[in-house]
Amino acid sequence: MFYSMEREMATYAALDKGLRSQLESEAAHPVTFYTEYLDLMRFPDENQQQKLVDYLRVKYSSRKISLILAVSPLALKFVVRHGDVLFPGTPVVFASVNIRTLEKLSLKSNITGIAVKRDIADTLDVALRLQPDTTQVIVPVGTSPLERSWTADLRNSLRPYEDRLTITYLGDLTMEGILQRVRKLPPHSIVLFSQFLFHDAAGHYFLPEDALDLICRSSNSPVYGTDRTFLGMGIVGGHLYDMNKVGDEAGIMGRRILAGENPANIPVQTMDANFDMFDARQLKRWGISQAKLPPGSIVQFREPSFWALYKWYVLSSLAVFLVQFLLVIALIRQARRLKQSESKLRHLSRHLINAQDEERKHIARELHDDFSQRLALLRIEIGSAVQEQMGPNSFDRTRVSNLCSTVDQLTQDIRLLSHSLHSSKLQYLGLKAALKDLCGQIAKSHSMSVEFEADELTQTIPDEVALCLYRVAQEALNNAVKHSGARRVVLALSNGNARLGMRITDSGKGFDTSMAVKGMGLASMCERLHLVNGTLLVSSKPGNGTELLAHIILTGSTLPSKTN
């Protein structure tokens, strides 16, 4: 494989790939490639080329070459001139050679290949279509003898435009001079770049892509090109030559020869591998509307829209948001259901406690109004009978007296049980009197000091609140009697700032609250207070007694009052 440049170039990368892949596909035997970069642009002299021929003849003297591939016009000219010396009779396939160049060569029967149509005027036509007000065209060209010959052909191609455009060929300037020139171009100017710039006036050598990069960075006007390889390097676009297809077709032709076909029977194939191609970024930069592009144009490097860039992020975010929204709705609905359930449970608890208290009230009333009265009547009748009995057959007065005492004690116990189930004093005299009576009963029944302290109750106390505190006091005092071993208990009632408080303290043995199990008594107290917007706090330590604090906020959320 012969390339005219000194090393592998981006320009020929796609062509080289197509060549190799086609030659290797369907090959009956493994294909070995030898690639030579002839560096003909920097060493065009005949003497230098002769030395190169001698080197190659020695290098490949022991190798049998089955096929020669010549890429570019310079490489083909080298093979046409020296091929018989290097590889006599070896078939040759050329690629990417301009038709006009081919017309000037005399090809032998062992040479065939792919000729291409290339004309820089086609790119100029596209540029004038996009910018019809163009008046000046700048064409950077090289200064070597070979480049000057190319420039002469270029002038012939563009001569028909000279009557309406000022075409300037920058072939006598250094690269710095070229860059200074393109920095200060007048309005309505364009730069037309071709692969005819390798040497500047100072003799400095540039690869086409390097020269193009410098010019595009410096130019104050749009730059148009001739090769697809240049698209994306700063040019607006043009009628660009695409080597991809050329490489494939040349590879297919070479494969036919390797398979045994005579190259003399394979005619030269002519291809038009040029397409209208443009860089969307440069069109936007220079304010050129895509509506002006020729039909069928290929536009690359389009800047993706916000939707194209972030579509999946947006969709993912919306999906996450929707899931979160649905979860929030579900949680709200669940919270409402839970709140309704709690409300129903609270209502049921209140109803159960009220029903319990009503039942206690009914039982207490029955005990007090029925059984107590009947026992009292029985006591009176027994006493009357004792007084009326005389004579030797009279009753044993002592025995009857003991019986009367038993009836009296039973009557007292029933009365106490009645008050325990439902305090009539709470209902008729209020909370303060009922608590004071409760303390007296506990002290009298259990031989312990139960002190009662109370502020003047200046606020209205709803019946439900009064009953709640009374039941809490009952439970707390009974617990103190059963478990604390205390000799002294203090119950204090206070009110103020729409709050009602009750503190019960004892001097008993106390307990560790962190280890305590919440039994039915404590749970009942908490539940009762919760139903009337109250709280319960229990403080205790082993050996330091126990303190119970109940607080209730007297607001409109409690039941209406019927008792002070």
Side-chain angles (χ1 to χ4, degrees):
M1 299 180 69
F2 285 124
Y3 286 93
S4 59
M5 301 304 169
E6 79 277 10
R7 57 183 172 85
E8 184 178 359
M9 294 175 55
T11 305
Y12 294 108
L15 184 147
D16 185 88
K17 181 179 179 181
L19 272 173
R20 293 173 186 267
S21 63
Q22 291 296 338
L23 287 169
E24 290 178 322
S25 66
E26 303 179 13
H29 304 283
V31 179
T32 302
F33 293 90
Y34 299 97
T35 305
E36 295 293 341
Y37 298 98
L38 303 177
D39 202 4
L40 299 176
M41 285 300 304
R42 293 192 295 178
F43 300 96
D45 295 344
E46 187 67 29
N47 291 334
Q48 293 169 327
Q49 290 193 18
Q50 185 58 51
K51 293 178 180 179
L52 177 60
V53 171
D54 295 338
Y55 161 74
L56 293 174
R57 184 173 64 247
V58 173
K59 180 178 180 179
Y60 293 100
S61 61
S62 61
R63 298 286 190 274
K64 178 174 176 55
I65 304 301
S66 305
L67 178 67
I68 297 172
L69 295 168
V71 180
S72 80
L74 289 180
L76 176 59
K77 289 179 180 179
F78 180 85
V79 171
V80 169
R81 177 175 296 184
H82 305 290
D84 288 341
V85 175
L86 291 172
F87 311 104
T90 301
V92 177
V93 173
F94 62 84
S96 191
V97 177
N98 197 312
I99 295 175
R100 288 197 295 258
T101 301
L102 202 62
E103 292 172 350
K104 300 176 184 179
L105 298 175
S106 177
L107 302 181
K108 296 181 180 180
S109 61
N110 65 323
I111 301 177
T112 187
I114 308 297
V116 296
K117 178 183 179 300
R118 298 197 64 183
D119 193 342
I120 196 173
D122 295 335
T123 289
L124 183 55
D125 288 336
V126 171
L128 294 177
R129 177 189 177 101
L130 301 185
Q131 297 179 258
D133 58 348
T134 299
T135 59
Q136 181 165 329
V137 179
I138 304 298
V139 185
V141 293
T143 60
S144 69
L146 182 59
E147 291 166 275
R148 290 186 186 279
S149 68
W150 291 343
T151 302
D153 293 337
L154 188 60
R155 287 178 183 271
N156 291 332
S157 297
L158 300 181
R159 188 164 285 116
Y161 298 89
E162 291 179 351
D163 59 340
R164 56 186 172 127
L165 298 171
T166 300
I167 302 178
T168 304
Y169 299 89
L170 303 181
D172 55 352
L173 298 174
T174 64
M175 179 57 73
E176 183 58 33
I178 294 174
L179 299 181
Q180 289 181 1
R181 185 70 179 273
V182 299
R183 287 191 188 104
K184 300 178 181 179
L185 293 177
H188 311 296
S189 298
I190 64 171
V191 177
L192 191 59
F193 184 85
S194 68
Q195 290 197 54
F196 298 159
L197 173 57
F198 289 88
H199 297 87
D200 67 358
H204 297 138
Y205 177 77
F206 298 90
L207 288 175
E209 53 263 37
D210 297 332
L212 175 64
D213 181 66
L214 293 172
I215 291 172
C216 288
R217 290 176 181 273
S218 301
S219 178
N220 67 347
S221 298
V223 179
Y224 291 83
T226 57
D227 292 80
R228 178 180 179 177
T229 309
F230 298 155
L231 197 65
M233 295 183 179
I235 65 171
V236 173
H239 197 62
L240 305 185
Y241 173 53
D242 186 358
M243 293 191 184
N244 294 17
K245 187 65 175 176
V246 176
D248 288 337
E249 293 301 323
I252 292 172
M253 188 175 289
R255 190 174 67 206
R256 291 168 60 186
I257 293 173
L258 291 178
E261 194 168 346
N262 190 338
N265 298 330
I266 302 176
V268 172
Q269 181 179 342
T270 301
M271 290 186 62
D272 184 357
N274 301 279
F275 305 92
D276 294 325
M277 306 179 72
F278 302 91
D279 187 331
R281 299 168 300 182
Q282 298 301 322
L283 292 173
K284 181 179 179 181
R285 174 189 176 189
W286 300 109
I288 301 173
S289 173
Q290 294 190 22
K292 295 181 178 181
L293 299 180
S297 295
I298 301 171
V299 180
Q300 295 185 351
F301 307 106
R302 295 180 185 270
E303 293 184 356
S305 63
F306 176 86
W307 177 249
L309 280 174
Y310 302 106
K311 175 176 67 176
W312 296 114
Y313 294 100
V314 172
L315 292 177
S316 299
S317 299
L318 289 176
V320 171
F321 175 78
L322 179 61
V323 171
Q324 290 179 336
F325 177 76
L326 294 176
L327 286 176
V328 169
I329 294 299
L331 289 174
I332 291 175
R333 294 181 62 183
Q334 188 67 22
R336 288 179 178 174
R337 291 175 182 173
L338 182 59
K339 190 173 183 180
Q340 291 174 355
S341 299
E342 289 178 348
S343 177
K344 292 179 179 179
L345 181 60
R346 183 178 297 183
H347 177 74
L348 178 61
S349 298
R350 179 183 285 113
H351 179 73
L352 290 175
I353 290 176
N354 289 339
Q356 182 185 41
D357 289 329
E358 287 298 323
E359 185 63 24
R360 285 183 172 186
K361 185 188 297 183
H362 173 71
I363 295 174
R365 187 180 297 113
E366 288 295 321
L367 289 174
H368 185 274
D369 296 342
D370 185 12
F371 293 100
S372 293
Q373 297 302 323
R374 288 161 62 188
L375 287 172
L377 181 59
L378 178 59
R379 170 68 176 81
I380 293 171
E381 289 179 356
I382 292 175
S384 298
V386 170
Q387 294 295 329
E388 292 174 0
Q389 292 299 322
M390 299 294 183
N393 296 323
S394 61
F395 291 106
D396 185 345
R397 290 180 176 275
T398 301
R399 183 178 181 185
V400 173
S401 178
N402 291 337
L403 183 59
C404 289
S405 297
T406 301
V407 172
D408 289 340
Q409 184 62 44
L410 180 59
T411 301
Q412 179 65 19
D413 290 343
I414 291 177
R415 187 179 70 84
L416 291 175
L417 178 60
S418 172
H419 287 174
S420 174
L421 289 172
H422 181 75
S423 174
S424 57
K425 288 188 178 182
L426 177 64
Q427 183 175 1
Y428 298 110
L429 299 180
L431 177 62
K432 184 176 179 180
L435 290 177
K436 184 176 181 180
D437 181 66
L438 176 63
C439 290
Q441 291 178 13
I442 296 296
K444 183 177 180 181
S445 301
H446 300 285
S447 300
M448 63 186 301
S449 173
V450 183
E451 302 175 12
F452 176 70
E453 301 172 358
D455 296 341
E456 187 66 29
L457 299 181
T458 59
Q459 295 173 278
T460 300
I461 302 175
D463 293 345
E464 189 179 43
V465 173
L467 179 59
C468 171
L469 288 179
Y470 184 81
R471 293 301 184 199
V472 170
Q474 271 187 318
E475 185 67 36
L477 291 175
N478 285 330
N479 286 342
V481 170
K482 295 177 182 178
H483 306 297
S484 72
R487 305 302 300 170
R488 180 174 178 270
V489 180
V490 178
L491 188 153
L493 188 66
S494 61
N495 74 114
N497 298 324
R499 288 176 177 270
L500 186 62
M502 181 176 69
R503 184 176 71 253
I504 301 174
T505 59
D506 66 59
S507 58
K509 58 185 179 182
F511 62 94
D512 186 351
T513 56
S514 63
M515 303 297 294
V517 178
K518 191 174 182 180
M520 289 299 295
L522 188 57
S524 175
M525 288 190 284
C526 290
E527 181 62 24
R528 283 183 177 275
L529 287 165
H530 179 66
L531 291 175
V532 293
N533 294 327
T535 60
L536 179 67
L537 177 64
V538 179
S539 300
S540 182
K541 289 184 180 181
N544 292 331
T546 301
E547 180 181 64
L548 183 147
L549 294 174
H551 288 284
I552 297 175
I553 300 176
L554 300 175
T555 64
S557 61
T558 55
L559 294 178
S561 172
K562 295 186 290 185
T563 303
N564 288 337

